[in-house]
Amino acid sequence: MQAEAIMTKPVITTNADATIAEAVELMLSNKVSCLPVTDSDGALVGIVSKSDFLRREELGTQRVRPRWLEFDLGPGTTAHDYVRSNGRIIHEVMTTAVISAPPGASIPDIANLMMQHRINNVPIIDRERIVGIITRTDLLLVLIRAMPKQGATPPDDDLIRKAILAELQPQTWSVGDLIDVRVSNGVVELRGAIVDERQRKAAIVAAEKVAGVGQVKDGLFLRTDPFSVMMVS
């Protein structure tokens, strides 16, 4: 699945000469957390988000540093902080180095950008123009649609067992065939040895993600000697 399939469009945008008050009102009225900033040709020149308005003198939340630290940081840094806290026009506070992606970007690409840059929104750009935007909410919608649904059809225990084993076997943490799986009427029982409690949670999650699983019973036991576990046939 590509970005263009899940992006929100059309995009609510603002321009660099808009006031912060106008931008905030636009965010509130449209229930969006950010506003891409475009020029007269529709090209992306920046972005503002709710986080850009957290440190404001009006709120009494502007950044305050000890004088000695301000001296060490220099006038450039303190001047920048002052503008962020007191600016009235969007171009004074917007982020200009915008992290964006093309319409053909994959969902993993978008998620990696969000995690790597600690951002919540990724504008989608085609030929320098913004054509959509992907938020973390959009990814959550994809997630909920992709998760297995519990239907009215009785589960096939053998298929469930095979699916769980197929999920477990390639995982390095599952230690080969040491985790046994039994299924009865959609109820899964995990048996076998583990050497780390974190394996227990991972094995349960691997079973839970398979469609048709109604319950997972934990019958795994912890071995304190990893070598003895490796020798179990």
Side-chain angles (χ1 to χ4, degrees), residues 39-117:
D39 63 16
S40 58
D41 295 323
L44 185 69
V45 296
I47 193 168
V48 288
S49 67
K50 289 180 178 179
S51 60
D52 292 313
F53 305 134
L54 293 182
R55 290 195 175 276
R56 295 290 302 182
E57 185 173 291
E58 298 91 338
L59 298 175
T61 55
Q62 68 271 32
R63 190 185 296 277
V64 178
R65 294 188 176 97
R67 283 290 183 179
W68 65 266
L69 183 55
E70 289 187 347
F71 179 79
D72 285 346
L73 292 173
T77 298
T78 53
H80 173 77
D81 290 345
Y82 180 83
V83 170
R84 300 285 292 182
S85 298
N86 294 272
R88 293 293 185 269
I89 310 300
I90 287 300
H91 68 77
E92 296 170 341
V93 301
M94 70 182 187
T95 297
T96 55
V98 184
I99 304 301
S100 62
S106 68
I107 301 305
D109 289 339
I110 300 297
N112 287 337
L113 285 176
M114 288 183 174
M115 291 186 289
Q116 180 182 352
H117 298 281

Side-chain angles (χ1 to χ4, degrees), residues 17 26 82 108 136 146 182 211 215 217:
D17 294 325
L26 194 57
Y82 180 83
R136 294 194 178 195
R182 302 183 185 187
Q215 181 184 357
K217 294 183 177 180

